[in-house]
Structure formats: C-alpha cells, structure tokens
Amino acid sequence: MRSLLVTGGAGFIGSNFALYWAEKYPDDRLVILDALTYAGNKANLVELEGLDTYRFVHGDIGDQALIESLMLDEKIDLIVHFAAESHVDRSIHEPDAFIQTNVLGTHNLLKVAREVWLERDDAPSWHRFQHVSTDEVYGTLGPDDPAFTESTAYAPNSPYAASKAASDHLVRAYHHTFGLQVTTSNCSNNYGPYQFPEKLIPLMIVNALTGKPMPVYGDGSNIRDWLYVDDHCRGIDLVIEKGAIGETYNIGGNNEWTNIDIVKQICTHIDNIFAADSELRSTFPDAPAAAGKPTESLITYVKDRLGHDWRYAIDATRATNELNYEPVETFESGLQRTLKWMLDNESWWRAVMDGSYRDWIEKNYSAGE
Ligand code: NAD
Ligand code: DAU
C-alpha cells in the first residue's frame, strides 16, 4: 500500500487523477492537498468523500511546516505534483503567482521531500516524486519541425512556460545533487471533465451554450496536440510504475488540430446535439442552436495572445517503447464525452466562472483590435 500526496488534486487534471487512482488502487492512501484557488474545486472530488483512504487538506504547497507534518503524519511515500498556476493568459496578466507557486512552491515541496525521505532515520524504504509538467517548456514549432522529444532544448516563451521550465530544472537538480527519486512527465493539451472554462475547449462550449462570442485568437491557425485527460492519468500511472528514476517522459495524443478546426468541430457537434434533443432548447435558450441557427455564427476573431506559440506537438515514442503508453480515447469520442459532461453539469460550470477575469479577457482580447 502506498501513501500518496496529490498536490493540486482539486484542479482539472489532479481531480481526474485522484478519481482514476482511487478506482485503480483502492488500498492506497490518497491525501489531496490544494490551496483552492479559483481553479480548485472540492466538488470535483465529491465521489471520494466517505472513503477511509481519502483525506482532503486545504493548504499551500509553499507552507513548509504543513507539508512536513503531512508527510510525517501520513507516512507519504509518493508525491504526485500537479499544483500550479496553469493558464497562459493569466500568466501574461499577473505573472507573480506563477513564480510563487510553480517555482517557489515546487522548490518547497522538493526541500521537504528531501528532508523527510533522505535525511531522517525513519525514512520510508521506497519514495517517489512524480512531477507533472507541460510540453510548453520546449517553446514553439514551425509547420515542418519534428515533434518535441525529451531531448528537445528548453525554450519557454510565456511566464507560465518559464515557471514550469524552472520547476522541471529544480526537480532534475534534486535528483542529480541529492539523489531524490524523481520522474517528470511533459504532456500536451488536455481536455475533459472538470476543466476550468478559461481553456479553449470548455470556454467555447460554455459560450456556444450561452450565446456569447466564441473568441478565436489571431487567425485561428495555431496548432495544439490534444489528449483526453484520462489518457494523461494513465500515462502518469505508467511513469510512476515503470519510469526510470531521474528521467522524463513526453505524453501526448498524436492528435494535432488548428484552433479554428477545433472550434468548428465543437459548433457542429452542438448543432447536431440540439437538433436531436429538443429539450436542450429550453435548457439553453440563448444558444443559437436553440433557434435553429448555426453555432458558428458566434465565432469571433480577436486580437492575438501576446507571444502566442504557434504549434506544439509531442513525440511520445519513448513512453510508447519503454512504458507501453498509448492513448485509448479518439478525439471524436473524447470530444463527445466532454460535451455530454458539460451539458449534464451546467451547475458546475456556472458556479466556477470568474466575473473579474472574464472582464479582463474581454478588454484585452476583444474583436477587431
Ligand atoms: P488547474 O489550474 O485546473 O489546477 C491547478 C490546481 O492547483 C488547482 O486546484 C489549484 O487550486 C491548485 N493550486 C494552485 N496553487 C496552489 C498552491 N500554491 N498550493 C496548493 N495548490 C495550489 O490545472 P490543470 O490544468 O489541472 O494542470 C495541472 C498540472 O498539469 C499543472 O502543473 C500543469 O502545468 C500541468 N499540465 C496541464 C496541462 C493542461 O492541458 N491542462 C497539460 C500539461 C501539463
Ligand atoms: O500544452 C500544454 C498546455 O496546454 C498546458 O501546460 C497549459 O496548462 C494549458 O493551459 C494549455 O495551454 P494553451 O495555452 O495551449 O491552452 P489554452 O486552452 O489556453 O489555448 C489553446 C489554444 O487556443 C491556444 O493557441 C490559444 C487559443 N485560444 C485560447 C482561448 C482561451 C483561443 O483562440 N481563444 C481562447 O479564448
């Protein structure tokens, strides 16, 4: 039986991971630590409430005394580190929190893990620090460039990407210098249930359902490599189970799309779902689809994101060869599942939307500028 500390476990990927892990490894202890920022939501974990193996702790990864007491009290031997500020636009707007959490917070976790796991007589016989990172650390690709491999040089372009790159380097250094048993995964764009509606796919779905403009940055030609969140969780599981200590693994979907193609696919799906289910017209009366109009009428080209990376693509050959990693969800099925979840969970997304941030986005990314 392992005892996990899952940081950021009330966020999008962390909560999906906690639900995945509780089902697959029901005997493991699952301690979720989350600061409950705007992106964290305890409601994401409601299915775990009542399990003897589960404990939720509201706290900050930068709180040294809290982390130390948690690790000792709970005999933590596996940290799965998701906690981060994760949205690129917010890092352009207010970068400080990204340095605080992603750099200093990660360093605090490493520091305490080193002390508890490497310097104490009662240290566990096995330990692991699994660091969850992003493909954005590699920078941007041109149309004919090969996809990112684990040996692609780091070239982060946004404050978010730079803060994640710094955290990756710290994780690597704590292995190299102190012998901490670490693994790192760098993943492409995730989508699925519980994703905060500031990221492309859930934002477009919410705006389509509520009749708001669907803001496409620049000309919509930017490319991302999309992965259904369960496939990312399975990839992290494989890295923990089979990954080599001190190594990094790229996880991706082999699934590149331009933003405008994604947005148009969402529009088509929504038109079809409304045509097949007349009840949706009264649930979402402001959606163009409720009046039989094409959802695409909401697409609005707006000012581009500052420093906008043009293309990301992951080469996951190493994870495939060494860990047997393969995504199982197709983009078609993953998008359908995500849409169904958003339609079934209107109260969730209505509750989490943040008015002041939406105002900033509308001011900075408005049509015609
Ligand atoms: P998210 O923003 O949905 O969730 C982040 C969680 O961390 C939230 O619950 C938040 O409350 C918590 N948190 C923030 N600051 C904290 C602090 N100081 N102490 C404790 N908890 C804190 O993010 P996500 O999309 O689920 O991403 C999770 C991780 O995966 C991040 O490290 C991100 O860089 C990485 N990642 C994300 C993607 C993606 O497409 N979303 C892709 C690759 C990697
Ligand atoms: O690649 C992994 C990264 O993917 C993660 O590390 C980040 O945490 C995650 O936020 C995501 O970063 P992106 O910047 O790629 O995701 P986002 O959903 O913000 O944007 C996806 C693309 O869509 C990007 O090219 C910008 C564009 N976009 C986004 C929004 C929110 C729009 O055109 N309009 C929008 O309103």
Side-chain angles (χ1 to χ4, degrees):
M1 190 200 96
R2 289 164 291 195
S3 186
L4 280 72
L5 180 64
V6 180
T7 71
F12 163 48
I13 307 173
S15 60
N16 277 283
F17 178 82
L19 299 175
Y20 164 95
W21 199 272
E23 192 177 340
K24 182 151 182 212
Y25 304 106
D27 294 334
D28 283 356
R29 177 81 170 142
L30 210 45
V31 179
I32 309 288
L33 173 70
D34 200 293
L36 298 179
T37 67
Y38 78 95
N41 190 347
K42 255 186 99 174
N44 300 1
L45 298 163
V46 75
E47 282 175 47
L48 301 180
E49 276 168 22
L51 292 180
D52 293 340
T53 47
Y54 165 68
R55 175 179 169 196
F56 182 84
V57 179
H58 181 192
D60 195 312
I61 56 167
D63 183 340
Q64 189 172 342
L66 171 68
I67 306 296
E68 189 174 317
S69 71
L70 267 182
M71 286 191 68
L72 292 172
D73 293 351
E74 294 286 354
K75 298 189 173 24
I76 298 296
D77 53 10
L78 171 56
I79 295 176
V80 191
H81 178 35
F82 293 93
E85 290 293 335
S86 70
H87 190 39
V88 173
D89 291 326
R90 286 183 191 256
S91 83
I92 296 166
H93 178 40
E94 284 179 340
D96 300 55
F98 289 72
I99 308 306
Q100 193 64 40
T101 288
N102 302 1
V103 185
L104 300 177
T106 300
H107 182 249
N108 188 56
L109 278 180
L110 289 164
K111 204 168 57 171
V112 179
R114 174 190 169 205
E115 191 250 314
V116 172
W117 286 342
L118 298 177
E119 294 180 350
R120 293 177 61 99
D121 294 339
D122 58 354
S125 54
W126 178 92
H127 74 256
R128 179 70 69 80
F129 188 105
Q130 159 57 20
H131 178 54
V132 180
S133 194
T134 170
D135 60 359
E136 300 206 11
V137 297
Y138 299 122
T140 185
L141 294 169
D144 301 321
D145 288 336
F148 303 128
T149 69
E150 289 80 358
S151 52
T152 302
Y154 273 32
N157 286 322
S158 68
Y160 162 70
S163 68
K164 291 297 289 187
S167 69
D168 292 9
H169 292 321
L170 287 167
V171 170
R172 178 191 153 89
Y174 265 68
H175 169 67
H176 186 82
T177 305
F178 304 116
L180 201 71
Q181 308 281 288
V182 307
T183 44
T184 295
S185 50
N186 294 85
C187 189
S188 60
N189 286 62
N190 285 213
Y191 68 101
Y194 302 116
Q195 185 165 33
F196 195 86
E198 63 185 351
K199 309 281 166 65
L200 181 73
I201 289 181
L203 177 75
M204 292 298 159
I205 295 172
V206 165
N207 286 12
L209 295 178
T210 53
K212 298 208 167 79
M214 298 170 80
V216 174
Y217 298 167
D219 63 3
S221 68
N222 303 67
I223 293 170
R224 297 292 183 266
D225 179 355
W226 294 91
L227 185 70
Y228 191 70
V229 63
D230 282 355
D231 282 324
H232 186 187
C233 295
R234 287 187 321 99
I236 293 169
D237 182 2
L238 288 167
V239 173
I240 293 166
E241 293 289 328
K242 299 183 183 175
I245 301 300
E247 294 299 329
T248 64
Y249 294 88
N250 281 357
I251 300 176
N254 202 14
N255 180 40
E256 291 182 54
W257 294 95
T258 63
N259 293 338
I260 189 62
D261 277 345
I262 301 257
V263 173
K264 286 186 174 170
Q265 284 183 61
I266 291 170
C267 291
T268 304
H269 281 304
I270 289 181
D271 290 348
N272 292 341
I273 293 169
F274 272 71
D277 180 352
S278 57
E279 270 184 36
L280 288 173
R281 291 181 207 157
S282 48
T283 314
F284 301 106
D286 297 326
K293 292 192 191 139
T295 303
E296 274 194 34
S297 58
L298 293 175
I299 293 178
T300 310
Y301 290 91
V302 301
K303 192 170 79 173
D304 209 352
R305 172 185 280 174
L306 288 177
H308 197 173
D309 284 339
W310 190 67
R311 173 179 167 233
Y312 303 143
I314 279 277
D315 180 342
T317 305
R318 180 177 201 189
T320 305
N321 291 346
E322 295 182 23
L323 313 177
N324 232 357
Y325 163 77
E326 281 293 342
V328 296
E329 200 78 47
T330 66
F331 194 50
E332 175 69 19
S333 64
L335 204 52
Q336 294 276 15
R337 282 178 73 173
T338 306
L339 262 163
K340 177 162 175 21
W341 189 88
M342 295 291 282
L343 289 168
D344 292 345
N345 289 277
E346 182 188 359
S347 56
W348 180 89
W349 50 261
R350 284 211 185 270
V352 300
M353 304 293 282
D354 173 344
S356 62
Y357 180 65
R358 285 182 69 94
D359 292 346
W360 180 80
I361 283 288
E362 269 159 35
K363 195 166 125 241
N364 286 278
Y365 295 96
S366 54
E369 285 184 49

